[in-house]
């Protein structure tokens, strides 16, 4: 079974991420936690909510977290796809999900996710990471701890360092 990093631990990946093509050909499996594309969620929302197994939604670059705002209380997971490591839109999506919409579920980075990005992804709100298949997940876990202190605030603590030291 594939592994993922969730809340700083390496765990078995209990979620199956489905593409639009897979959904067109096979439909949604009856059992097991699935992650579906936003367009599929929007067009099949009622049927997906009736499933006995959990459903998450995957946002692609160019899609808007606002399209999920009303559904966030019912979703346990929102995945954000990084088709290329240099595409930074997903960072904004995670921050929006956490700060604007108050989403407390799992925000998972998927796609071209590399060790060097994990620390920064965590600061904007990601708490789960599907590391690229050709990379060592144990090594990638070290990416969450490269700095002992940060100057700027983040989604976990909005205070800059000078406010944290005086508190």
């Amino acid at each position: 079974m594939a592994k993922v990093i969730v809340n700083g631990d390496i765990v078995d990946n209990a979620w199956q991420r489905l593409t639009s093509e897979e959904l067109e050909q096979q439909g949604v499996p009856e059992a097991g936690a699935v992650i579906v594309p936003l367009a599929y969620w929007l067009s099949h929302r009622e049927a997906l909510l009736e499933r006995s197994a959990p459903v998450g939604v995957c946002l692609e670059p160019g899609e808007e977290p606002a399209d999920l705002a009303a559904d966030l209380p019912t979703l346990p997971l929102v995945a954000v796809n990084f088709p290329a490591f240099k595409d930074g839109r997903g960072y904004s999506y995670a921050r929006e999900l956490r700060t604007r919409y108050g989403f407390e579920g799992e925000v998972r980075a998927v796609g071209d996710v590399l060790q060097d990005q994990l620390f920064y992804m965590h600061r904007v709100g990601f708490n789960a990471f599907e590391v690229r298949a050709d990379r060592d997940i144990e090594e990638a876990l070290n990416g969450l701890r490269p700095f002992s202190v940060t100057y700027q605030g983040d989604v976990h603590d909005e205070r800059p360092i000078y406010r944290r030291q005086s508190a």
Side-chain angles (χ1 to χ4, degrees):
M1 178 175 266
K3 302 282 187 185
V4 293
I5 299 170
V6 179
N7 296 322
D9 295 318
I10 297 173
V11 299
D12 290 333
N13 185 6
W15 293 83
Q16 179 184 4
R17 189 161 43 107
L18 302 168
T19 65
S20 297
E21 295 77 26
E22 290 169 329
L23 289 162
E24 283 178 26
Q25 293 171 1
Q26 304 160 2
V28 178
E30 289 185 27
V34 296
I35 302 170
V36 299
L38 175 63
Y40 192 86
W41 169 261
L42 294 174
S43 61
H44 297 84
R45 182 183 179 281
E46 296 307 319
L48 291 167
L49 286 171
E50 290 176 8
R51 287 182 87 236
S52 58
V55 177
V57 176
C58 185
L59 292 173
E60 296 290 334
E63 296 178 336
E64 291 295 325
D67 293 337
L68 278 177
D71 294 323
L72 289 173
T74 65
L75 293 172
L77 178 147
V78 175
V80 178
N81 188 29
F82 288 84
F85 78 93
K86 61 185 176 181
D87 189 333
R89 290 176 280 185
Y91 289 85
S92 299
Y93 296 171
R95 186 170 187 93
E96 250 185 275
L97 287 166
R98 295 291 189 207
T99 59
R100 181 175 293 170
Y101 302 113
F103 183 62
E104 294 181 5
E106 183 175 312
V107 179
R108 179 180 290 199
V110 301
D112 196 10
V113 178
L114 304 171
Q115 174 182 345
D116 295 349
Q117 300 166 296
L118 268 56
F119 180 77
Y120 303 103
M121 287 177 165
H122 181 259
R123 294 198 71 216
V124 298
F126 287 98
N127 65 325
F129 311 90
E130 257 183 53
V131 179
R132 217 168 75 182
D134 66 335
R135 302 301 169 120
D136 182 335
I137 195 165
E138 297 281 344
E139 243 180 69
L141 186 58
N142 293 327
L144 289 173
R145 306 184 224 356
F147 305 104
S148 59
V149 117
T150 58
Y151 291 106
Q152 305 87 1
D154 61 24
V155 299
H156 307 288
D157 188 347
E158 294 180 0
R159 299 172 302 165
I161 192 168
Y162 63 90
R163 294 268 188 239
R164 284 179 263 151
Q165 290 180 336
S166 63

